[in-house]
Amino acid sequence: MDRTRRRRHFNNKNDGSGERNERFRFPLDVEEETGSHMEDSYNFEQPGNEQEDSFIRGEQRKRLFEDTAKPEKQESSYTISKAREIPSAVHGTKKQPKPDEEETAVEKPHKDKQLPGAREVPSAVYGTSKQKYSDDEILKLESQVENYNSNDASDGYKSPIVEKLKEERIRRAEKEHKRLQAVKARKEREQARYKDPYSINTKPSHEKQQSVENIERKTVEEDSGSKQSAAPSISPFNVVMTPYDKKKEMTASRRATKRSGPKSSMPSIHMLEGDEESEQPISWPAAAEQQEMTAAFKAAGVPAEVVDYQTNGIIGIYEMALERNFRLNNIEKLKADLKRYLSFESIRIIAPITGTSNIGVEVPATSQNSISFSTVFSSSSLKMRKNDYKFVIGKTVDDKIFSYDLQKTGHILFYGDNEVDSAGAIDNILTSIMMNHNPKEFKMMIASGKHQYDDYQGLPHLFSEPKSIMDPDVLSNLLKELNDRDNQFRRAHVRNITSYNQRVNYESKKSVIAVIVDDLSTLFENNNPDAVRTIIQILRKGKPLGIHLIMKHTRPEVGIRSDLLQMMQTRISYKDENSKVIEGSDQLSRGNDMLIQIPTSNKPLRVNGAVLPDDSKQRVFSHLKQVGG
């Protein structure tokens, strides 16, 4: 027989007899007569007898149920029939009805009635609700507190918790009353200030009395000989003071101290006028000059035509459009060919012009006109008198004004054997800055013994008296100022002069110092090691401290060290056959023609300096000497 189809047999020994030895009891099985039966009954059929009863007989099951019946609970004789109710610390003596008694509580309202003459006890947890009192009620409560006598036994028992709550409530009411009074007084002061804007009669009477007493006390002290400061005394900050009180105290101190600012007036722009008549309007070159330019390109084997022409009065630039198959590596060959066919002293080719595919040919103008300093100054942003250290030198070839900030230039080097034009460029720089800045903001120091700087003597902008470059103590004061500024900036946790001036008042601000060194070739030839060390220190850390060098090197045969040359951020070169300082300076023309390399550009700019007449410079300098610092 298959194992899965085999029937189970229990207790095979008693199959023939009617009695069985029961080993498993199922006390939850009930007979069918009781009316309840199990849905999942354990009814195992035996082979040969399909109608056989379950393993436990009905009588035996009934007896098992009777044996396991639980005994009935008897009432204990120690049960308290009537116990005293203990009041709750939260709800008091009020009895909370049970869920089964909620229905009967409606039928017996006499149980929830309050006893006559009893008072409500406030909760120790929730207290009482806050109430707002008027001024009359506050006064009444205050009188009740004053007349209250805790020893009076006629009022009955008084809870200390309730009395404390009453006192707290009265204290809050008094505080609210004081706040309302302060608000009312503030509104009255605002209305009085609105009616009397000059604050003549806005002070209260007690403050007026105190001010009178203070004045009398001050007069008595002055008569006795004691020295009193004119500014009102300000008490120092207290640790307990709130941030609002500290801010109020600082505002009062700022109002008490008189604002101090610049006491000198700037020179007028009209002082620079007088040289505009020599300047003539710029026009296009004649047709013959244009034909000469196109013929030179055609003779060189590169056909071209003139597209545009621009000039500043000294140098002009032709914009030439070439054929598309022209290669830029043939520029040098083209330049050599053009010099043979053109009758100009110097030719400089720019390939290509920025933004176009054309090339530019810079040549001296046929009819040259000088550039006026007053025109350049009044046409630039310097006429707005902004708080920057911009200066103007002249105009570029495309007739644009060249102006730059001294704090961005760093240290300036004038290189070339052009003594006159380099001195004029330095005059333009110093005059531009002195026109817009008072002696408190800008200082200058001249380390030169040449007579061309005699006009600067007596100016209030001088940091020290001019000395020769060969004097051992020529830059000693400047070195001390450099070290002092370095230490002060470190203590103030700043890195440059702009950040330092933003943190201090007007009296403590540092001025920008321009140092004119004329010239470096003399210093390098002769032995003055102190001056050389000071110059190296200024080149290294002078720019963020507000100290800038403006140096001249007029003899190209005297060499200049490459490490010093790299620390000079702005370089201005005149005609130089060897192009030591700026590449391409050999293509310049003699005279008022220079290449300027600034830190923010990788290409040099060709600039022609503006001319500042002596009479205009003397008018500006005489005004500065009269006004003073």
Side-chain angles (χ1 to χ4, degrees):
M1 179 182 296
D2 190 6
R3 188 176 183 87
T4 57
R5 298 173 61 90
R6 189 186 303 167
R7 292 178 178 242
R8 295 184 180 180
H9 300 277
F10 297 92
N11 224 346
N12 293 332
K13 296 180 180 181
N14 300 327
D15 286 343
S17 61
E19 296 180 0
R20 296 180 181 177
N21 185 10
E22 304 296 334
R23 296 185 179 179
F24 303 97
R25 295 184 180 182
F26 299 91
L28 298 180
D29 291 344
V30 186
E31 287 183 344
E32 294 182 359
E33 296 96 35
T34 59
S36 62
H37 62 280
M38 295 179 61
E39 294 180 359
D40 299 331
S41 60
Y42 297 88
N43 188 9
F44 299 97
E45 297 181 358
Q46 295 185 6
N49 190 6
E50 298 179 357
Q51 302 294 331
E52 196 172 357
D53 295 333
S54 60
F55 294 107
I56 304 176
R57 296 185 178 86
E59 295 84 1
Q60 192 174 359
R61 284 200 297 271
K62 186 175 181 181
R63 187 174 65 252
L64 290 173
F65 277 111
E66 290 176 356
D67 294 342
T68 57
K70 294 182 180 180
E72 295 181 1
K73 187 176 180 182
Q74 296 181 2
E75 295 182 0
S76 176
S77 59
Y78 298 100
T79 305
I80 300 174
S81 59
K82 189 175 183 181
R84 179 172 60 86
E85 294 181 356
I86 300 174
S88 172
V90 178
H91 302 286
T93 56
K94 184 177 180 181
K95 186 178 179 182
Q96 298 294 332
K98 295 180 181 180
D100 53 350
E101 295 179 358
E102 289 181 356
E103 299 177 358
T104 60
V106 181
E107 300 175 358
K108 300 176 182 180
H110 62 278
K111 290 184 179 180
D112 298 333
K113 274 187 177 182
Q114 190 176 0
L115 296 176
R119 57 186 175 82
E120 296 182 359
V121 180
S123 172
V125 177
Y126 299 101
T128 56
S129 58
K130 295 181 181 179
Q131 300 181 8
K132 294 182 179 180
Y133 294 92
S134 61
D135 296 344
D136 298 336
E137 292 177 350
I138 291 171
L139 294 175
K140 188 182 293 184
L141 291 171
E142 290 176 354
S143 62
Q144 290 179 3
V145 172
E146 292 176 357
N147 299 330
Y148 173 74
N149 187 6
S150 60
N151 298 326
D152 190 4
S154 61
D155 296 339
Y157 173 74
K158 292 185 178 180
S159 172
I161 299 176
V162 176
E163 298 303 325
K164 191 173 182 180
L165 290 172
K166 285 183 179 180
E167 291 177 2
E168 184 67 25
R169 188 185 307 161
I170 293 171
R171 196 179 297 112
R172 286 199 299 266
E174 290 176 352
K175 189 176 180 180
E176 182 69 18
H177 179 61
K178 290 180 181 179
R179 190 186 67 81
L180 293 175
Q181 286 183 347
V183 172
K184 187 177 179 182
R186 194 184 302 115
K187 289 182 179 179
E188 291 178 357
R189 287 197 300 270
E190 291 177 357
Q191 291 177 0
R193 192 181 296 110
Y194 178 75
K195 293 177 182 178
D196 189 6
Y198 295 100
S199 303
I200 299 175
N201 300 318
T202 55
K203 287 186 177 181
S205 59
H206 65 279
E207 292 184 4
K208 290 180 181 178
Q209 186 176 0
Q210 290 180 0
S211 62
V212 171
E213 292 176 357
N214 294 334
I215 293 171
E216 292 177 355
R217 191 182 299 110
K218 285 183 179 180
T219 54
V220 171
E221 292 176 355
E222 288 175 358
D223 294 339
S224 63
S226 61
K227 296 181 180 180
Q228 297 288 342
S229 60
S233 61
I234 301 169
S235 60
F237 290 146
N238 192 353
V239 183
V240 187
M241 292 175 67
T242 60
Y244 174 77
D245 295 336
K246 290 182 180 180
K247 187 177 180 181
K248 188 176 180 182
E249 194 78 14
M250 291 179 65
T251 306
S253 64
R254 288 171 185 168
R255 290 177 181 174
T257 56
K258 186 178 179 181
R259 180 185 176 273
S260 61
K263 300 178 182 178
S264 60
S265 60
M266 298 293 102
S268 174
I269 301 179
H270 300 288
M271 296 181 182
L272 302 174
E273 295 179 355
D275 55 346
E276 288 88 352
E277 297 180 357
S278 60
E279 190 172 356
Q280 299 177 2
I282 299 172
S283 60
W284 267 61
E289 296 178 0
Q290 298 183 30
Q291 291 178 1
E292 182 184 359
M293 183 64 65
T294 54
F297 272 87
K298 188 175 181 181
V302 183
E305 60 178 357
V306 179
V307 178
D308 192 9
Y309 176 78
Q310 293 177 341
T311 181
N312 57 9
I314 299 177
I315 303 296
I317 178 172
Y318 288 89
E319 183 176 350
M320 309 295 295
L322 305 179
E323 294 182 353
R324 292 184 178 273
N325 56 1
F326 179 78
R327 295 183 179 182
L328 294 179
N329 55 3
N330 297 327
I331 289 293
E332 294 297 330
K333 184 179 178 181
L334 176 64
K335 179 182 174 182
D337 294 340
L338 289 176
K339 281 186 177 181
R340 291 185 297 174
Y341 299 109
L342 293 175
S343 60
F344 295 105
E345 178 186 355
S346 62
I347 298 175
R348 184 169 178 260
I349 297 179
I350 300 174
I353 296 177
T354 305
T356 63
S357 59
N358 303 329
I359 66 172
V361 181
E362 295 178 353
V363 294
T366 307
S367 59
Q368 295 187 356
N369 299 323
S370 62
I371 302 172
S372 172
F373 179 80
S374 60
T375 304
V376 174
F377 188 90
S378 59
S379 301
S380 63
S381 62
L382 276 75
K383 67 177 181 180
M384 305 300 294
R385 303 299 178 94
K386 297 181 181 180
N387 192 19
D388 52 9
Y389 292 88
K390 277 191 174 182
F391 59 86
V392 291
I393 293 181
K395 287 185 178 181
T396 58
V397 179
D398 53 354
D399 200 25
K400 292 182 181 179
I401 298 172
F402 176 81
S403 63
Y404 207 65
D405 194 344
L406 181 64
Q407 293 181 322
K408 294 180 181 178
T409 55
H411 308 290
I412 306 175
L413 173 65
F414 285 89
Y415 190 84
D417 58 350
N418 195 336
E419 183 74 26
V420 178
D421 293 317
S422 59
I426 292 177
D427 288 340
N428 294 345
I429 294 174
L430 298 179
T431 307
S432 301
I433 300 176
M434 285 191 294
M435 287 283 291
N436 293 338
H437 294 277
N438 55 30
K440 182 66 179 176
E441 299 172 347
F442 176 71
K443 295 281 187 182
M444 61 182 177
M445 182 177 178
I446 299 174
S448 174
K450 298 181 180 180
H451 297 288
Q452 61 188 13
Y453 298 102
D454 293 342
D455 297 335
Y456 291 91
Q457 293 184 358
L459 286 175
H461 294 77
L462 285 177
F463 181 77
S464 62
E465 291 297 326
K467 294 182 181 180
S468 174
I469 190 63
M470 298 310 300
D471 192 343
D473 298 332
V474 62
L475 300 176
S476 59
N477 296 336
L478 193 64
L479 182 61
K480 182 178 180 300
E481 179 70 17
L482 181 74
N483 296 330
D484 291 345
R485 289 192 180 192
D486 191 12
N487 295 331
Q488 291 174 5
F489 287 12
R490 286 177 181 273
R491 289 193 215 104
H493 300 284
V494 295
R495 294 185 177 182
N496 51 43
I497 187 174
T498 305
S499 302
Y500 182 82
N501 289 339
Q502 290 175 354
R503 296 193 177 190
V504 298
N505 53 11
Y506 182 79
E507 290 78 10
S508 303
K509 287 185 177 181
K510 299 295 183 182
S511 59
V512 175
I513 302 176
V515 185
I516 293 90
V517 179
D518 191 2
D519 68 77
L520 281 178
S521 56
T522 306
L523 185 64
F524 291 156
E525 277 187 345
N526 301 294
N527 188 15
N528 191 358
D530 295 336
V532 175
R533 290 194 202 99
T534 305
I535 289 175
I536 293 174
Q537 289 295 324
I538 298 172
L539 288 174
R540 287 178 177 174
K541 55 182 181 180
K543 179 181 177 181
L545 300 179
I547 301 176
H548 305 271
L549 291 174
I550 302 176
M551 298 174 291
K552 289 174 59 177
H553 192 280
T554 56
R555 284 183 287 176
E557 65 270 9
V558 179
I560 182 172
R561 289 163 50 181
S562 60
D563 56 342
L564 297 180
L565 190 62
Q566 290 177 359
M567 289 188 286
M568 301 171 187
Q569 292 89 357
T570 302
R571 306 167 195 172
I572 301 175
S573 176
Y574 289 93
K575 176 74 173 180
D576 182 19
E577 298 295 341
N578 298 324
S579 300
K580 291 182 180 180
V581 176
I582 300 177
E583 186 178 357
S585 57
D586 56 335
Q587 304 173 8
L588 299 177
S589 60
R590 293 283 178 181
N592 186 10
D593 192 13
M594 67 189 88
L595 281 179
I596 300 179
Q597 181 72 57
I598 56 178
T600 56
S601 176
N602 55 355
K603 291 183 179 181
L605 299 174
R606 192 172 186 178
V607 180
N608 297 106
V611 178
L612 178 62
D614 291 337
D615 54 349
S616 300
K617 185 170 70 171
Q618 292 299 329
R619 283 195 296 267
V620 174
F621 286 4
S622 61
H623 173 79
L624 294 174
K625 291 176 183 178
Q626 290 176 2
V627 173

